[in-house]
Amino acid sequence: MPFGLPPPTDEPQLTYGGYLKVGELISLQHLLSDPPQHDEMLFIVIHQVYELWFKELLHELDAIIARLDADEPLAAHRLVRRCIEIEQVLVNQIAVLETMMPTDFLEFRDHLMPASGFQSFQFRELEYVSGLKDARFLKNYEPGSKERAKLEVRLAQPTLADAFYALLGRRGFDLPDVSGAADEVRAAIEQRRINELVRVYQDAEKHYALFLLAESLIEYDEMFSMWRLRHINMVERMIGSKTGTGGSEGAAYLRKTVDRKFFPELWELRSHLSKKSVSK
Ligand code: HEM
């Protein structure tokens, strides 16, 4: 039925707008500027689009952890590849926001205080579930609020990194369960992880599914860093060295976040690789 609506029936028919709740979706953009500033619409839409992608990423990450727990590294790998494609979109759409002139942003920026992307609870959920659990962010959310409760659940759950190393452990690599391990033990565990990952990489053919999975995970991590870097450049282009609407030092604060990694061992192992596998 490409050129017309279905014939009328007494039964209510599913429609595009009804299924996707388009009416609700496009009624959710409320500008604060008065008179309305043209670019505030773009600013709102782009943030909302990010939040929708964050929701989708969390949905995928939960599925990836379930695949890892079910010993399905290739199924997990396929979904990590999907997350990487989504991250590409997240990085690239910053360019759309950069079509806004700094002076146009200033026309409505004061209305935004003290709100900030820093408060995005889904962004923190993404960090937590991927492997970066910093409980200090909890204090930014009201005790008892839905956001805080979600983050508390994420803090208590095994991360993507935990699920990956648990799978390696079940595949015969020498990796004990480290959940809840004390800090001094963790350093030794990280070294053991690196040693075992070196075995995977030195004989990638033999451990091909695990190798593919590991490579997709480092790419997921890398793309997240790319977003952080891209966001910083855009922030500097937009507000220079001004403080953020959330009250931080602005770009100077953001620069301190770029070294945060979900899989530090996957990065470190490369320093320990030698030319050829000797273990075949
Ligand atoms: C004009 C555009 C933007 C500017 C000037 C800007 C500026 C900033 C600044 C200065 C911070 C530091 C916290 C603060 O003091 O507010 C920040 C944090 C953050 N922003 Fe943006 N931002 C922009 C767009 C976006 C967009 C489109 C997103 C997408 C969701 C975003 C997500 C975030 C996140 C998640 C943080 C916290 C990062 C972290 O703590 O690691 N921002 N932003």
Side-chain angles (χ1 to χ4, degrees), residues 43 46-47 50-51 54 94 97 100 105 109 115-120 123-124 127 137 227-228 231 234-235 238-239 242-251 253-254 257 260:
F43 188 81
I46 207 154
H47 280 85
Y50 269 108
E51 289 295 335
F54 290 167
I94 285 190
L97 198 50
M100 175 170 74
F105 183 41
R109 185 172 188 247
S116 163
F118 184 78
Q119 297 161 336
S120 165
F123 183 83
R124 294 298 163 217
E127 286 191 327
F137 288 117
W227 183 83
R228 294 188 199 271
H231 174 252
M234 183 264 293
V235 169
M238 218 50 86
I239 60 167
K242 289 179 183 161
T243 53
T245 50
S248 83
E249 297 167 287
Y253 156 74
L254 292 167
T257 68
R260 290 184 190 159

Side-chain angles (χ1 to χ4, degrees), residues 102-259:
T103 44
D104 288 334
F105 183 41
L106 289 174
E107 292 298 330
F108 61 89
R109 185 172 188 247
D110 285 351
H111 294 293
L112 308 175
M113 315 258 183
S116 163
F118 184 78
Q119 297 161 336
S120 165
F121 76 92
Q122 291 202 109
F123 183 83
R124 294 298 163 217
E125 271 194 274
L126 280 173
E127 286 191 327
Y128 282 8
V129 76
S130 302
L132 271 174
K133 286 183 177 174
D134 186 338
R136 286 173 300 178
F137 288 117
L138 282 185
K139 68 174 187 315
N140 300 314
Y141 307 92
E142 282 291 311
S145 64
K146 267 194 211 155
E147 291 86 352
R148 172 98 169 224
K150 284 194 175 203
L151 286 171
E152 282 166 349
V153 169
R154 293 284 181 197
L155 262 186
Q157 275 175 349
T159 66
L160 180 61
D162 294 333
F164 171 60
Y165 291 112
L167 170 69
L168 286 184
R170 292 192 300 276
R171 292 281 167 118
F173 290 88
D174 185 14
L175 290 167
D177 180 14
V178 294
S179 30
D183 282 354
E184 46 293 3
V185 191
R186 281 201 85 85
I189 291 161
E190 277 163 24
Q191 190 52 54
R192 179 120 42 115
R193 283 177 172 176
I194 294 166
N195 296 344
E196 295 306 280
L197 286 169
V198 167
R199 285 180 53 207
V200 173
Y201 276 71
Q202 289 292 164
D203 204 346
E205 279 298 325
K206 184 169 161 197
H207 309 292
Y208 204 60
L210 297 177
F211 168 75
L212 280 182
L213 175 63
E215 281 295 278
S216 61
L217 289 173
I218 197 170
E219 198 170 331
Y220 168 71
D221 205 358
E222 186 176 15
M223 286 304 300
F224 212 91
S225 296
M226 297 297 284
W227 183 83
R228 294 188 199 271
L229 287 167
R230 195 72 184 80
H231 174 252
I232 295 175
N233 285 340
M234 183 264 293
V235 169
E236 286 190 321
R237 191 167 158 178
M238 218 50 86
I239 60 167
S241 57
K242 289 179 183 161
T243 53
T245 50
S248 83
E249 297 167 287
Y253 156 74
L254 292 167
R255 268 196 294 275
K256 290 182 205 148
T257 68
V258 284
D259 288 334

